[in-house]
Amino acid sequence: MYAITGFVGLFVVVVTALWLYGHVVQGEVIDQTAWIILGASILRLLTVIIALASIQQWGEKLATWIILGGLSGAASAQLAYPVAELVVKLVILAGLLEYPAKGVGNMTPTGWFNLAAVWFIFGLPGIFFVQAARNYRDRKGLSNTWVWLGSLLGIIALVSIGLLIG
């Protein structure tokens, strides 16, 4: 669990520091993209807090469904994009889909490097959150109801961010 909080926490610190430097120190305009980056960083910070709550004494004050749902939501939100991109790339490789050679359809080494980076930044923490949710569920003797609901809310949050980005 500390691996998740360290890994994701470091990411949040770096992104937030860069955001503050660019928008506060350098005076860059805070446009829609900047707000989305800030909002996503805050959401990731919340995932760090939920992860810590699952193993810290102070987390006992929170309802178990909040923690299990939060861990599951963090897992699904962080895994959905890298899994979807990998599936699309494999479908393109199999010749089952024609796709523009930009973004997810970029099949050059740069496109595959970008996929690896997405897996490193989102997929790896997502896998850690899956394991954290399983461990927490088993430790607390909880049902899968909050796993499914949290996962669904995580996907809804991810889709919402995607719609905001456009």
Side-chain angles (χ1 to χ4, degrees):
M1 189 57 60
Y2 288 109
I4 293 171
T5 58
F7 186 82
V8 177
L10 179 61
F11 180 84
V12 170
V13 167
V14 169
V15 170
T16 303
L18 291 170
W19 193 95
L20 288 170
Y21 179 75
H23 298 289
V24 176
V25 176
Q26 295 291 324
E28 294 175 11
V29 175
I30 301 175
D31 59 5
Q32 181 182 3
T33 302
W35 284 114
I36 291 168
I37 291 169
L38 181 61
S41 295
I42 291 168
L43 284 174
R44 287 198 98 185
L45 177 61
L46 289 174
T47 68
V48 170
I49 292 168
I50 289 289
L52 285 173
S54 74
I55 57 172
Q56 294 290 314
Q57 186 81 24
W58 57 266
E60 295 293 324
K61 295 177 184 174
L62 296 175
T64 55
W65 64 267
I66 291 173
I67 295 174
L68 182 57
L71 291 170
S72 301
S76 67
Q78 293 187 78
L79 279 171
Y81 179 69
V83 167
E85 184 171 342
L86 178 61
V87 168
V88 169
K89 283 193 178 298
L90 293 176
V91 168
I92 292 169
L93 277 177
L96 301 173
L97 178 67
E98 293 285 327
Y99 212 84
K102 301 191 277 190
V104 72
N106 183 347
M107 303 300 275
T108 68
T110 300
W112 288 98
F113 174 82
N114 290 341
L115 175 62
V118 166
W119 270 99
F120 183 72
I121 293 169
F122 297 105
L124 187 59
I127 292 166
F128 288 155
F129 274 104
V130 167
Q131 190 58 48
R134 283 183 183 159
N135 289 343
Y136 186 78
R137 181 201 61 206
D138 294 346
R139 245 183 18 250
K140 299 293 182 177
L142 302 171
S143 74
N144 281 329
T145 302
W146 292 107
V147 171
W148 290 107
L149 288 173
S151 296
L152 178 61
L153 289 174
I155 297 295
I156 290 170
L158 181 66
V159 168
S160 299
I161 291 169
L163 291 173
L164 285 172
I165 292 170

